[in-house]
């Protein structure tokens, strides 16, 4: 019999350390520093000779519990939690890269990630090549002697393109470069990139890991030697997670798989319904057989996830009519919440890139993105039906 605890058990149990009071639920330690028994213990803690809490920029028992639980769920040796998803990506880059290094990044990554690599870190001598997310030959061709890291997001936002992680891990291994995957959209409940050969996983815990839109957080996970290196950056530079935020996310993980499964089911039902509407030109959802990478997505992910994009006939005017016709859906670019959200990427998240770049990356004027939550799917359909002119 296999005695290793399964995912659902780890989600509610892994990492918990009880205090002297033997509390049932995980304790929240709101303290910025810790006291030592004597001068010698202080010296040992500071030198790292002895494990233990020192100062909340780099140690707190609630944060440790979150890191251990998340590591168990991702199948990682180690995890460092950070103040936000961007703090996780920044910490990874600052710890593992240096001036003169080259990285290869899938083109459709989160906007702030594009800005971080392409503008801010470029000023410090980091060179980035952007490649189409699904084109393995393009990654192989872009890797050169100075390449240190390949960074991808899958499924991509908003068009849900799927990166073949097993294939890309093979390309990276052959070239001797690290593969980092932003696993924000799937979470370990649906996709485990480390098991598919990735070296690092990064998270915006702000999204599905919290799951209820309450706090910011992030994490970097992987082999201990890599995560120990990454940890040096937040430890020294300070984009560390608040113990309160860590506690909220720790509790969010307990329902992660239930939420991801239910939200994926809602998303699939909504995607099927949208595909049947004459006002809808095209639906992008990895769980639909019409998705060009349906086979790959079915192999790589346990479900399609909760992001559904679709194109309405009639361009911006028709798309805005759908947005403005909603009464239930939240009009916001946020995602990863139990509350369903709708956004028009061309005029919001992707509004600052040129019309030509937008067109090339498939962000048309008629495109809408929905991050499906936990409401009744019939209510969601009724809310969209008004703007789509369905009677
Ligand atoms: C939101 C998001 C981030 C950034 O996370 P923050 O917690 O907002 O800093 C990074 N990657 C993806 C895919 C995201 O959706």
């Amino acid at each position: 019999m296999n005695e290793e605890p399964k995912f659902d058990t780890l989600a509610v149990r892994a990492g918990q350390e009880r205090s002297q009071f033997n509390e049932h639920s995980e304790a929240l330690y709101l303290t910025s520093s810790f006291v030592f028994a004597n001068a010698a213990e202080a010296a040992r803690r500071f030198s790292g000779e002895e494990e233990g809490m020192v100062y909340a920029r780099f140690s707190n028992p609630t944060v440790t519990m979150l890191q251990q639980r998340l590591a168990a769920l991702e199948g990682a040796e180690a995890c460092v939690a950070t103040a936000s998803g961007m703090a996780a990506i920044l910490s990874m880059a600052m710890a593992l890269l240096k001036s003169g290094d080259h990285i290869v990044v899938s083109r459709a990554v989160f906007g702030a990630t594009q800005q971080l690599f392409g503008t801010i870190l470029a000023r410090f001598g980091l060179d980035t090549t952007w490649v189409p997310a699904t084109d393995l030959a393009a990654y192989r061709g872009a890797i050169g002697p100075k390449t240190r890291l390949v960074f991808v997001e899958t499924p991509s936002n908003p068009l849900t393109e799927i990166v073949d992680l097993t294939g890309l891990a093979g390309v990276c291994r052959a070239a001797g470069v690290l593969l980092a995957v932003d696993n924000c959209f799937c979470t370990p409940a649906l996709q485990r990139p480390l098991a598919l050969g990735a070296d690092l996983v990064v998270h915006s815990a702000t999204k599905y890991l919290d799951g209820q839109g309450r706090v910011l957080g992030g994490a970097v996970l992987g082999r201990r030697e890599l995560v120990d290196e990454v940890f040096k950056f937040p430890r020294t530079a300070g984009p560390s997670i608040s113990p309160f935020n860590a506690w909220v996310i720790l509790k969010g993980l307990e329902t992660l798989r239930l939420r991801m499964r239910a939200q994926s089911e809602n998303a699939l039902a909504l995607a099927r319904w949208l595909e049947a509407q004459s006002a809808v030109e095209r639906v992008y959802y990895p769980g639909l057989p019409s998705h060009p990478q349906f086979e790959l997505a079915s192999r790589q992910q346990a479900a399609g996830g909760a992001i559904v994009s679709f194109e309405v006939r009639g361009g911006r005017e028709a798309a805005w009519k759908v947005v403005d016709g909603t009464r239930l859906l939240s009009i916001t670019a946020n995602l990863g919440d139990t509350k369903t959200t709708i956004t028009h990427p061309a005029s919001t998240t992707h509004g600052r890139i040129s019309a030509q770049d937008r067109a090339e990356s498939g962000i048309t004027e008629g495109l809408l993105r929905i991050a499906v939550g936990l409401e009744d799917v019939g209510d969601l359909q009724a809310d969209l039906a008004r703007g789509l002119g369905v009677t």
Side-chain angles (χ1 to χ4, degrees), residues 83-89 109-110 112-113 151 153 155 157 182-185 202-207 215-218 334-335 369:
S84 66
M86 290 319 300
I89 297 169
V109 291
F110 188 65
T113 308
F151 184 97
E153 240 173 65
N157 179 18
D182 184 331
N183 201 25
C184 176
F185 276 30
V202 300
H203 270 291
S204 168
T206 315
K207 312 292 168 50
V215 297
L216 293 184
N334 195 29
L335 60 96
R369 189 202 72 193

Side-chain angles (χ1 to χ4, degrees), residues 249-263:
I249 296 162
L250 183 65
K251 303 307 286 179
L253 290 180
E254 296 184 1
T255 56
L256 177 66
R257 209 165 77 97
L258 291 176
R259 285 185 283 107
M260 292 310 290
R261 196 158 54 194
Q263 288 178 238

Side-chain angles (χ1 to χ4, degrees), residues 55-354:
Y55 183 59
R57 184 167 358 93
F58 49 91
S59 50
N60 179 281
T62 309
V63 173
T64 303
M65 287 191 269
L66 169 64
Q67 291 174 162
Q68 292 187 350
R69 184 164 299 171
L70 197 49
L73 297 182
E74 280 287 4
E77 278 177 21
C79 168
V80 55
T82 55
S84 66
M86 290 319 300
I89 297 169
L90 176 69
S91 299
M92 178 198 69
M94 294 302 273
L96 301 179
L97 304 171
K98 60 180 189 319
S99 172
D101 281 350
H102 171 250
I103 63 171
V104 178
V105 182
S106 61
R107 205 174 268 152
V109 291
F110 188 65
T113 308
Q114 284 179 8
Q115 289 296 315
L116 178 67
F117 290 144
T119 309
I120 299 179
L121 294 179
R123 284 197 276 111
F124 295 84
L126 182 71
D127 181 23
T128 301
T129 301
W130 308 92
V131 296
T134 57
D135 186 351
L136 282 192
Y139 292 94
R140 202 179 289 117
I143 293 172
K146 293 190 167 169
T147 310
R148 178 94 178 94
L149 178 87
V150 171
F151 184 97
V152 299
E153 240 173 65
T154 182
S156 74
N157 179 18
L159 295 179
T160 70
E161 293 169 300
I162 309 292
V163 179
D164 174 356
L165 292 179
T166 307
L168 185 56
V171 169
C172 291
R173 208 175 311 114
V177 306
L178 295 171
L179 172 60
V181 178
D182 184 331
N183 201 25
C184 176
F185 276 30
C186 274
T187 83
L190 302 186
Q191 168 175 284
R192 303 217 298 170
L194 299 173
L196 301 174
D199 300 286
L200 291 157
V201 162
V202 300
H203 270 291
S204 168
T206 315
K207 312 292 168 50
Y208 295 102
L209 302 187
D210 167 20
Q212 287 156 82
R214 299 166 294 193
V215 297
L216 293 184
V220 183
L221 301 106
R223 293 191 294 282
R224 182 162 309 280
E225 104 241 16
L226 283 174
V227 173
D228 282 352
E229 244 352 87
V230 172
F231 171 66
K232 290 176 186 168
F233 184 77
R235 174 185 176 126
T236 305
S240 319
I241 191 165
S242 143
F244 178 77
N245 290 11
W247 179 80
V248 171
I249 296 162
L250 183 65
K251 303 307 286 179
L253 290 180
E254 296 184 1
T255 56
L256 177 66
R257 209 165 77 97
L258 291 176
R259 285 185 283 107
M260 292 310 290
R261 196 158 54 194
Q263 288 178 238
S264 294
E265 275 171 18
N266 265 0
L268 179 60
L270 199 64
R272 284 196 180 125
W273 178 82
L274 284 166
E275 212 170 32
Q277 305 310 316
S278 59
V280 174
E281 179 114 42
R282 181 163 176 196
V283 180
Y284 299 87
Y285 183 65
L288 284 179
S290 60
H291 190 285
Q293 295 167 292
F294 175 70
E295 294 290 326
L296 172 62
S298 310
R299 244 182 299 136
Q300 188 162 287
Q301 304 175 198
I307 307 292
V308 179
S309 292
F310 62 103
E311 209 175 303
V312 294
R313 296 181 207 282
R316 177 175 295 212
E317 200 187 324
W320 279 24
K321 201 170 144 220
V322 175
V323 173
D324 292 339
T326 61
R327 290 172 203 156
L328 184 63
L329 271 60
S330 311
I331 305 170
T332 172
N334 195 29
L335 60 96
D337 204 297
T338 53
K339 295 180 174 68
T340 301
T341 68
I342 185 166
T343 189
H344 178 245
S347 60
T348 60
T349 50
H350 294 70
R352 277 181 295 175
I353 59 177
S354 73

